[in-house]
Amino acid sequence: MRYIDAHCHLDGRHFADLDGLFARLKESGVEKVITCGVDLPTSLAVKDIAERYATCYFTAGFHPTELGDYREGDLEKISELARHEKCVAIGEIGLDYHYPDTNKPLQQEVFIKQLRLADILGLPVEIHSRNSAEDMNEILRANAGLLKNGFLLHCYSHSVEMATELEKAGAYFSFGGTSTYSGSKKARRCIATLGLDRLLTETDSPYMPPATRAGQFPNTPESIPEILRGFADLQGVGEEYCAEKIWTNAHTLFKKLN
């Protein structure tokens, strides 16, 4: 079987031995990974990683909680990065209202600007949404014309009802290690309810280890086979069939994967 991690963060000090990690990924069947930028420096860093490893691709963008150093002109630099042959999406972008000092207007402004950028470049987007369901849904509805290249709700955490609505609008959804815990009822209901042709596996490494690695840090894309087994069980299909469907889904959404 072949696996893909549609969303992880391999930059930074937690992954000093990337050569060793990618060797282990090859052994475990994780044939492709997409490592994501959250601001300009990390977008540059993940580009460099993708250039070093044939099985690695990247995204470029500004995460909603990483706007402290955001300046006018930064999106032009993201645009330049996004034209790289291995940049498969604009991301990770979106809304996050978790923290009390959240600048909601700025988050919304930069999110919409990045949706426009993705549309201009013909790229899909990887979306982060935490504690922001109503505003997220409204922005996606109002800007549906900017989403024709596809959009992924990563680590989806909102309701099953909203997921069903977004599915009809063409959304893809990815879930990580938390979906392997019996207590993650919302995520598990979503996986069981949504069409398999709308699902992707992710780890959000170095965060969110699956059940068998609970408490371990850093999590790595080596967790993907366990996450996929959970998908197959919840969907009521065989693991090999599930793995091939998810592989196809990823290549359908991310046109620059090869």
Side-chain angles (χ1 to χ4, degrees), residues 90-162:
I90 297 297
E92 141 185 26
I93 66 176
L95 303 176
D96 190 321
Y97 295 169
H98 178 71
Y99 300 102
D101 60 346
T102 294
N103 185 337
K104 293 181 182 180
L106 178 61
Q107 285 194 13
Q108 293 168 16
E109 174 192 344
V110 176
F111 179 34
I112 294 169
K113 283 182 175 179
Q114 291 183 102
L115 292 179
R116 289 176 183 150
L117 175 61
D119 181 56
I120 290 168
L121 296 174
L123 289 174
V125 291
E126 288 210 9
I127 296 174
H128 169 103
S129 179
R130 180 164 63 158
N131 297 354
S132 59
E134 185 175 338
D135 284 354
M136 172 61 62
N137 205 23
E138 178 55 35
I139 286 175
L140 294 180
R141 282 176 181 164
N143 294 277
L146 302 177
L147 302 172
K148 56 183 176 290
N149 298 298
F151 61 112
L152 171 68
L153 278 298
H154 110 88
C155 281
Y156 181 78
S157 61
H158 302 317
S159 70
V160 177
E161 293 74 20
M162 183 174 289

Side-chain angles (χ1 to χ4, degrees), residues 23-117:
R24 296 194 305 274
L25 291 180
K26 184 177 181 180
E27 293 175 359
S28 66
V30 180
E31 294 191 9
K32 293 183 181 181
V33 299
I34 300 172
T35 182
C36 301
V38 297
D39 56 15
L40 189 54
T42 56
S43 295
L44 287 163
V46 294
K47 175 190 76 74
D48 291 343
I49 294 170
E51 288 177 340
R52 287 170 55 194
Y53 301 97
T55 59
C56 185
Y57 298 79
F58 76 101
T59 73
F62 273 88
H63 186 287
T65 65
E66 304 300 318
L67 298 176
D69 293 325
Y70 172 77
R71 298 292 182 270
E72 288 297 323
D74 283 349
L75 291 188
E76 283 78 4
K77 297 173 184 177
I78 293 294
S79 178
E80 291 173 13
L81 281 172
R83 288 177 167 82
H84 191 286
E85 63 181 359
K86 297 191 80 175
C87 183
V88 300
I90 297 297
E92 141 185 26
I93 66 176
L95 303 176
D96 190 321
Y97 295 169
H98 178 71
Y99 300 102
D101 60 346
T102 294
N103 185 337
K104 293 181 182 180
L106 178 61
Q107 285 194 13
Q108 293 168 16
E109 174 192 344
V110 176
F111 179 34
I112 294 169
K113 283 182 175 179
Q114 291 183 102
L115 292 179
R116 289 176 183 150
L117 175 61

Side-chain angles (χ1 to χ4, degrees), residues 62 64 112 130 171 179 189 195 222-223 237 247-248:
F62 273 88
I112 294 169
R130 180 164 63 158
S179 68
R189 281 184 59 211
E222 294 167 274
S223 298
V237 298
W247 182 267
T248 298

Side-chain angles (χ1 to χ4, degrees), residues 147-222:
L147 302 172
K148 56 183 176 290
N149 298 298
F151 61 112
L152 171 68
L153 278 298
H154 110 88
C155 281
Y156 181 78
S157 61
H158 302 317
S159 70
V160 177
E161 293 74 20
M162 183 174 289
T164 302
E165 178 183 341
L166 289 166
E167 180 183 26
K168 292 175 183 175
Y172 287 81
F173 304 83
S174 59
F175 300 87
T178 54
S179 68
T180 64
Y181 294 84
S182 59
S184 296
K185 299 187 186 304
K186 190 185 298 183
R188 293 169 68 83
R189 281 184 59 211
C190 284
I191 294 169
T193 302
L194 293 166
L196 181 54
D197 62 350
R198 291 285 137 184
L199 297 179
L200 292 174
T201 48
E202 69 158 287
T203 61
D204 204 21
S205 302
Y207 315 106
M208 301 196 335
T212 65
R213 304 181 188 218
Q216 294 184 23
F217 188 89
N219 184 32
T220 79
E222 294 167 274

